């Protein structure tokens, strides 16, 4: 045991050393020789549009950022799992329920893998899904409004990492657990992990019309770590593939103990078979507690419902539904090519890249050529399912994407490069350095039958000397390549925000056409909306004060309010009466323990203020909205708790 430990640590230190000197070597030649026409390829003239959207995960920011390609310009940060003061998301009364969980209100998340909805295996630009790793959740963002409109918590899961990838018709968004845990959770010794912990793979159905999510079933798998996943497509539609590591089922010093087995597995799941089993009443309902948060676009308000049970399936109860494909060595990425035939497993510690064949897998299953089983799940023979391997392509392979022209592109974290290779012949065609230590890469349309193989961008973990220094912390960096020719051509570096694990990207046209410009006031069903000056009022209910307020260039109505007392809870319900594209108003009041609001045209949002001090306190618009923006202000008078100041409000005249 000691020796294994020593030798593994030795190997790892060599790898680490390789990483660092490699980086240094690269930094010496960073100016590179870019062709003179490169600037033209990324130049988007003022007033012109980018050809592609890129949605880049924010990692530990918990959010999703929107970029244009090829310019690399950032357009927006969409708040998803984290409170976001810039818009009031997670601070306004309407959006706080979005961040509710079975553990209470959680103001932060760790987002990794965005994936855009599909129809017939092609990206349709309706929704984008993204996972939260730490407190397992899946979010849906509506690409009409670029707002997070639904978040579902995933029970029995921990480290929701092999997520959130969608099937060909967005039948399911799939979420697999990275950590196996006791299911149900209970107090037990950690050392009893092996054989007792389980890993849940969750299939979350997406309603075709509304997009509403619901957990259809969870498969309770052996206690491995389920790292990444991808759906089958075309011929393999109906299957889902998950890489595993820690098939050793270690619970301590995983850097050594989870690297013992020569091969771990890719789990192949026939979800159609399990769906059929479940539709016929299979599986068991298990008590579980998980939040389902839905944003209503008419009331502009989210509600959070606590669900009480979930359907679980034991895979050995559904013969023929789950198989293990041996895959060397702690595979990370699990990527399926556009035809659905090839399943690439990137063994982080493996010298070669392993590619499995879906056709061969089906043959082996049909002929029952098994090499034992793990917890009752048949293991296929490595050689029987192997399509081929790319020999010694680089060090530390992580993720693979496809260009739809028969080529694959794999990132290598340790040797800091992207390697292009050919499906079927497995030969390496090209390699280009990344700066530095690349994680994921994205080709627009990547996870679909029809990738749009013009651009590829790599998302790198280490930035070092690529930009002007900004103290000890540098934003991570993305690099855009032109992949339309035989050789990849580096075009551009651009900084990202948070940690850009994965990104989803697509041609701009579909999203651009559907993008919503305003919320129609007629459709506003917010219970506290006010639609004109006549609707504005201040209503006291015990110590709660509800202010029905409107805003339009360039005033609030009312803008003078009296009768509030220390100890009151004051709700500012602000309706933006504008019906013009891109004219939000903001709202903030002095001393408030929350963020400002940013209210879109036609929308109502609510901010709570609990004044603790007597005085006359100003409020104002936080977003520069017109030449008279600075005049958008008002006063609210706070009297002592014992006072009898009458409740009055006004606009354009004095309160008498
Ligand atoms: Cu490789 Cu979370 Cu997809 Cu990061 S993960 S790189
Ligand atoms: Cu409204 Cu500034």
């Amino acid at each position: 045991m000691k020796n294994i430990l020593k030798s593994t640590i030795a190997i790892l230190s060599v790898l680490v050393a390789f990483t660092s000197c490699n980086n240094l070597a690269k930094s010496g030649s960073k100016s590179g020789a870019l062709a003179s026409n490169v600037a033209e390829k990324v130049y988007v003239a003022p007033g012109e549009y980018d050809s592609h959207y890129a949605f880049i995960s924010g990692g530990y920011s918990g959010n999703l950022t929107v970029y244009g390609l090829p310019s690399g310009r950032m357009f927006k940060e969409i708040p998803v799992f984290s409170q976001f003061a810039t818009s009031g998301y997670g601070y306004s009364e309407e959006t706080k329920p979005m961040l509710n969980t079975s553990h209470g209100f959680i103001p932060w998340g760790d987002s990794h893998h965005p994936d855009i909805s599909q129809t017939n295996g092609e990206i349709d630009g309706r929704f984008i899904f993204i996972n939260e790793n730490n407190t397992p959740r899946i979010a849906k963002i509506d690409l009409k409004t670029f707002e997070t409109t639904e978040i579902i918590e995933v029970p029995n899961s921990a480290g929701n990492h092999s997520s959130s990838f969608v099937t060909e018709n967005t039948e399911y968004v799939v979420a697999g657990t990275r950590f196996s845990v006791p299911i149900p959770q209970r107090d037990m010794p950690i050392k009893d992990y092996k054989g007792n912990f389980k890993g849940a793979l969750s299939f979350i159905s997406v309603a075709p019309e509304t997009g509403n999510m619901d957990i259809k079933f969870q498969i309770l798998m052996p206690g491995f770590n389920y790292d990444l996943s991808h759906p089958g497509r075309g011929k393999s539609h109906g299957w889902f593939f998950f890489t595993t590591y820690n098939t050793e089922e270690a619970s301590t010093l995983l850097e050594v103990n989870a690297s013992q087995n020569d091969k771990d597995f890719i789990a192949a799941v026939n979800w159609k078979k399990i769906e059929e089993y479940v539709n016929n009443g299979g599986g068991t309902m298990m008590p579980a507690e998980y939040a389902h948060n839905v944003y209503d676009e008419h009331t502009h308000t989210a509600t959070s419902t606590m669900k009480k049970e979930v359907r679980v399936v034991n895979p050995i109860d559904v013969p023929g539904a789950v198989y293990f494909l041996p895959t060397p060595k702690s595979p990370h990425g699990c990527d399926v090519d556009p035809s659905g035939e090839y399943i690439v497993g990137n063994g982080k510690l493996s010298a070669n890249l392993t590619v499995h064949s879906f056709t061969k897998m089906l043959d082996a299953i049909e002929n029952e050529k098994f090499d034992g089983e793990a917890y009752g799940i048949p293991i296929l023979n490595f050689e029987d399912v192997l399509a081929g391997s790319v020999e010694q392509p680089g060090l530390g392979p992580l993720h693979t994407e496809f260009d739809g022209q028969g080529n694959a592109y794999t990132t290598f974290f340790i040797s800091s490069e992207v390697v292009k290779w050919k499906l079927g012949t497995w030969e390496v065609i090209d390699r280009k350095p990344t700066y530095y230590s690349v994680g994921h890469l994205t080709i627009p349309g990547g996870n679909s039958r029809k990738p749009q193989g013009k651009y590829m961008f790599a998302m790198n973990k280490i930035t070092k000397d690529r930009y002007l220094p900004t103290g000890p912390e540098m934003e991570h960096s993305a690099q855009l390549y032109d992949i339309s020719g035989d050789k990849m051509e580096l075009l551009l570096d651009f900084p990202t925000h948070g940690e850009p694990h994965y990104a989803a990207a697509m041609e701009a046209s579909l999203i651009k056409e559907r993008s919503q410009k305003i919320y129609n006031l007629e459709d506003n069903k917010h219970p506290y909306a006010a639609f004109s000056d006549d609707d504005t009022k201040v209503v006291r209910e015990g110590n709660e004060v509800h202010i029905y307020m409107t805003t339009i260039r360039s005033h609030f109505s009312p803008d003078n309010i009296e009768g509030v007392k220390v100890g009151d809870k004051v709700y500012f319900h602000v309706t933006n009466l504008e019906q013009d594209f891109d004219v939000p108003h903001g709202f903030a009041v002095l001393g408030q323990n929350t963020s400002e609001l940013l209210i879109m045209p036609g929308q109502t949002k609510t901010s709570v203020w609990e004044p603790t001090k007597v005085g006359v306190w100003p409020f104002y618009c936080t977003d520069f909205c017109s030449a008279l923006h600075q005049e958008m202000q008002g006063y609210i008078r706070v009297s002592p708790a014992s006072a009898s100041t009458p409740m009055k409000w006004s606009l354009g005249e004095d309160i008498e």
Side-chain angles (χ1 to χ4, degrees), residues 154-157 174-177 180 183 198-204 215-223 226 238 240 242 267-275 277-278 283-284 286 310-318 321-324 377:
V154 187
N156 295 331
S157 191
V174 172
T177 197
S180 282
I183 296 179
K198 293 254 176 305
L201 307 179
S202 306
F203 283 70
I204 299 165
I215 301 178
K216 177 96 170 176
F217 56 86
Q218 297 190 307
I219 311 171
L220 299 189
M221 297 283 287
Y226 296 85
F240 222 99
F242 298 83
V269 174
N270 185 336
W271 58 260
K272 281 227 163 131
K273 197 160 227 165
I274 298 181
E275 180 186 60
Y277 171 76
V278 163
T284 47
M286 173 183 169
V310 67
R311 185 175 296 274
V312 295
V313 172
N314 182 343
I316 59 176
D317 291 342
V318 196
V322 183
Y323 298 91
F324 285 135
I377 295 170

Side-chain angles (χ1 to χ4, degrees), residues 112-113 161 228 332 398-399 439-440 461 499-502:
H112 282 232
H113 306 121
H161 194 260
L228 274 151
H332 184 58
L398 290 186
H399 299 283
H440 278 272
K461 303 296 181 192
E499 180 167 2
H501 288 272
Y502 186 50

Side-chain angles (χ1 to χ4, degrees), residues 143-185:
L143 289 178
K144 239 174 31 225
T145 56
F146 285 58
E147 297 267 6
T148 304
T149 55
E150 193 174 1
I151 293 180
I152 193 162
E153 194 179 352
V154 187
N156 295 331
S157 191
N160 174 34
H161 194 260
S162 35
S163 324
S164 52
F165 300 104
V166 303
T167 54
E168 275 208 343
N169 291 296
T170 321
E171 294 96 337
Y172 293 101
V173 49
V174 172
T177 197
R178 172 177 157 205
F179 304 105
S180 282
V181 287
I183 296 179
Q185 272 291 9

Side-chain angles (χ1 to χ4, degrees), residues 550-582:
T550 61
T551 174
I552 193 162
R553 282 163 288 180
S554 294
H555 61 266
F556 292 100
S557 177
D559 67 356
N560 281 197
I561 300 160
E562 296 189 358
V564 166
K565 293 183 267 187
V566 168
D568 283 345
K569 191 169 186 183
V570 182
Y571 292 81
F572 294 93
H573 306 287
V574 188
T575 302
N576 179 352
L577 298 178
E578 307 281 354
Q579 291 286 270
D580 257 0
F581 181 33
D582 199 24

Side-chain angles (χ1 to χ4, degrees), residues 634-646:
Y635 287 104
I636 183 163
R637 172 179 168 189
V638 177
S639 303
S642 56
S644 52
T645 317

